[in-house]
């Protein structure tokens, strides 16, 4: 039988310009490129055993479920029989039964039961399934064609003495590349002025950036602060932040992925890792406890019905609201042709240049750069 295509695959226009990073449907250049890398799609703790849920990644719908034995499986969005949404079905062991007429599928998408058929034809039915695995508190999927890429390893996040904090991701209604461009640019002293305690005028920040074997590494210095951060091609970042624990010290290591839901929405998946007691980690987690309110508060400020700084109970997610305002405020898909980039946009320019080079190679069928991230990366954040 012909493989079923989710409906959203059909109507998208073909995007083949190497400078188009924003459209990420399966037939676009950027979409094909992003699908060559493992992507986080859900927080592991949000998928309990026996639960199925619909998810949307890069404009495509999928069915994610966890079997009663704990295994995670990712299938197409719809049932092969008459197209019911599979996520409303029932998990039975490691299999998923469609709610409509009871067809049952295993984790590989094979149809194993057609209870209403006198002569079942299960062997002819197979849904597409996708490789998934759990790591660092997140569920990763490989949505590309062929053999999956090697799974990335982050040894520094595997240290037994540390604890992971994985904040709940929320949907931001703008393109994921707004979020990529935001990483390491000059916005912090202005956007987050209340939170930042910078030495000297913001303009005196020095940034140097260079392409590396895994993406881009940049060095920042501002007054007495020094910082080294990595962008991991194509859509992730590794950085250092303030310590989780006062007693144990040591900065917190942070990984973030900017993942498109569709062309006008994205999610940021983050993992914080530091040495701390369970209690300290719980307190650190508190700073993320109002995250689900970020879109609502941000939308009200953007609409002019709420003043920035006009409420006090949002302090714990203030940075996220401020970022929401500047990202969503640029428009869901900004018109890059109207920008005026300067020297301080060095990172924005370099990352886009690398992206464009790779998409051009993909379009022309030339070899792509093979990114090699070492198992550990050095990041730093110091005050001298
Ligand atoms: S639509 Fe799923 S069994 Fe009929
Ligand atoms: Fe920010």
């Amino acid at each position: 039988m012909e493989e079923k295509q989710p409906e959203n695959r059909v109507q998208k226009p073909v995007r083949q310009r190497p400078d188009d990073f924003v459209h990420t449907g399966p037939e676009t250049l950027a979409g094909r490129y992003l699908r060559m890398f493992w992507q986080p799609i859900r927080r592991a703790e949000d998928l309990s055993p026996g639960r199925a849920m619909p998810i949307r990644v890069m404009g495509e719908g999928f069915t994610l479920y966890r079997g009663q034995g704990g295994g995670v499986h990712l299938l197409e969005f719809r049932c092969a029989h008459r197209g019911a949404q599979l996520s409303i079905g029932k998990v039975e062991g490691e299999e998923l039964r469609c709610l409509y007429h009871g067809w049952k599928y295993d984790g590989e998408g094979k149809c194993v039961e057609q209870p209403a058929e006198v002569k079942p034809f299960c062997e002819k039915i197979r849904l597409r399934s996708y490789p998934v695995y759990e790591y660092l508190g997140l569920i990763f999927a490989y949505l590309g064609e062929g053999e999956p890429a090697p799974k990335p390893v982050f040894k520094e996040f595997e240290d037994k003495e540390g604890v992971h904090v994985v904040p709940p991701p929320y949907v931001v209604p703008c393109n994921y590349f707004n979020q990529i461009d935001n990483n390491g640019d000059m916005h912090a002293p202005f956007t987050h002025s209340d939170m930042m305690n910078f030495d000297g005028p913001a303009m005196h920040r020095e940034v140097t950036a260079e392409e590396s074997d895994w993406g881009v590494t940049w060095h920042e210095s501002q007054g007495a602060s020094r910082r080294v951060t990595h962008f991991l091609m194509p859509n992730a970042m590794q950085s250092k932040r303030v310590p989780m624990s006062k007693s144990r010290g040591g900065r917190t290591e942070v990984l973030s992925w900017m993942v498109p839901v569709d062309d006008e929405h994205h999610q940021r998946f983050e993992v914080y890792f530091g040495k701390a007691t369970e209690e300290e980690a719980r307190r650190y987690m508190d700073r993320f406890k109002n995250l689900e309110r970020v879109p609502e508060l941000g939308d009200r400020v953007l609409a002019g019905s709420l003043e920035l700084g006009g409420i006090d109970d949002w302090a714990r997610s203030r940075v996220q609201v401020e970022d929401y305002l500047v990202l969503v405020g640029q428009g869901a898909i900004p018109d890059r042709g109207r920008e005026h980039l300067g020297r301080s946009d060095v990172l924005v320019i370099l990352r886009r240049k690398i992206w464009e080079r790779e998409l051009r190679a993909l379009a022309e069928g030339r070899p792509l750069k093979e990114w090699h991230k070492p198992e550990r990366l050095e990041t730093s954040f110091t005050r001298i």
Side-chain angles (χ1 to χ4, degrees), residues 79-86 98-105:
C79 176
H81 178 219
R82 278 171 40 209
Q85 181 176 321
L86 265 180
C98 177
L99 184 75
Y100 204 0
H101 314 95
W103 285 23
K104 191 156 96 163
Y105 300 92

Side-chain angles (χ1 to χ4, degrees), residues 182 185 187-188 191-192 196 319 322-323 326:
N182 180 60
D185 82 347
H187 76 279
T191 310
H192 311 303
M196 303 290 165
V319 171
E322 288 163 345
D323 280 331
V326 293

Side-chain angles (χ1 to χ4, degrees), residues 154 157 179-185 187 214 216-218 220 227-241 253-258 268-272 323 347 351 373 377 379:
F154 299 93
F157 287 76
Q179 183 84 256
I180 288 183
D181 281 341
N182 180 60
N183 292 319
D185 82 347
H187 76 279
W214 49 90
V216 172
T217 297
W218 67 95
E220 295 169 70
R227 206 164 185 163
V228 179
T229 310
H230 304 282
F231 177 67
L232 314 176
M233 277 293 283
N235 61 328
M237 186 174 82
Q238 185 170 338
S239 61
K240 265 215 179 25
R241 310 248 176 106
E253 197 78 23
V254 187
L255 277 168
S256 331
W257 283 263
M258 285 54 77
R268 184 180 173 114
F269 292 94
E270 291 190 306
V271 181
Y272 290 69
D323 280 331
L347 268 163
R351 280 189 300 241
K373 189 191 84 62
L377 277 179
T379 54

Side-chain angles (χ1 to χ4, degrees), residues 242-243 283-291 316-317 320:
V242 291
R283 257 186 280 127
Y284 195 78
M285 187 67 191
D286 263 5
R287 67 174 64 200
F288 304 116
K289 100 176 157 199
N290 291 331
L291 281 191
R316 288 193 171 277
S317 34
Q320 286 84 357

